[in-house]
Amino acid sequence: MYCVNCGKEISDKAAVCVGCGVPVKDADRRSQITAGLLALLLGGWGAHKFYHGHFIIGILYALSALLGWGTIGVLSVAAGDSPSQ
C-alpha cells in the first residue's frame, strides 16, 4: 500500500505513514462530519487541515488568512477609514 499524501510505500497495517506522519486509515463518519463543520466555520484558518493531520497545509491556510486580514486592515487605514468613526 502507498501513502496518498507522500507516495511512500507503507505496511497494510500501518495507522500513519512513516514518511510524512499522515494518518493512513480512512476516517470514520463522525470525523468527516467534524472536519466538514470545521471547514465551514474555520476553514479560512485551516482548522479542518489541522484536524486531519495536514499541518503544513494548515499553517499555509492560517498564514494566508493572517495576510489577507492584515492587507484589508492596512488598506482600510490607508484609505482613511477608522473603526472609531
Side-chain angles (χ1 to χ4, degrees):
M1 174 165 76
Y2 295 91
C3 176
V4 295
N5 188 52
C6 70
K8 186 175 178 96
E9 187 173 2
I10 52 177
S11 167
D12 290 337
K13 296 179 181 179
V16 295
C17 174
V18 293
C20 64
V22 173
V24 190
K25 301 288 182 185
D26 290 334
D28 61 334
R29 180 78 177 139
R30 180 178 46 114
S31 66
Q32 290 295 333
I33 292 171
T34 303
L37 289 172
L38 286 171
L40 286 173
L41 299 173
L42 299 169
W45 294 95
H48 58 297
K49 296 296 183 183
F50 286 110
Y51 179 75
H52 274 300
H54 301 284
F55 298 111
I56 298 200
I57 295 174
I59 289 169
L60 291 174
Y61 268 73
L63 289 175
S64 296
L66 285 172
L67 290 173
W69 284 108
T71 302
I72 290 170
V74 168
L75 293 176
S76 176
V77 170
D81 295 338
S82 75
S84 62
Q85 291 180 348

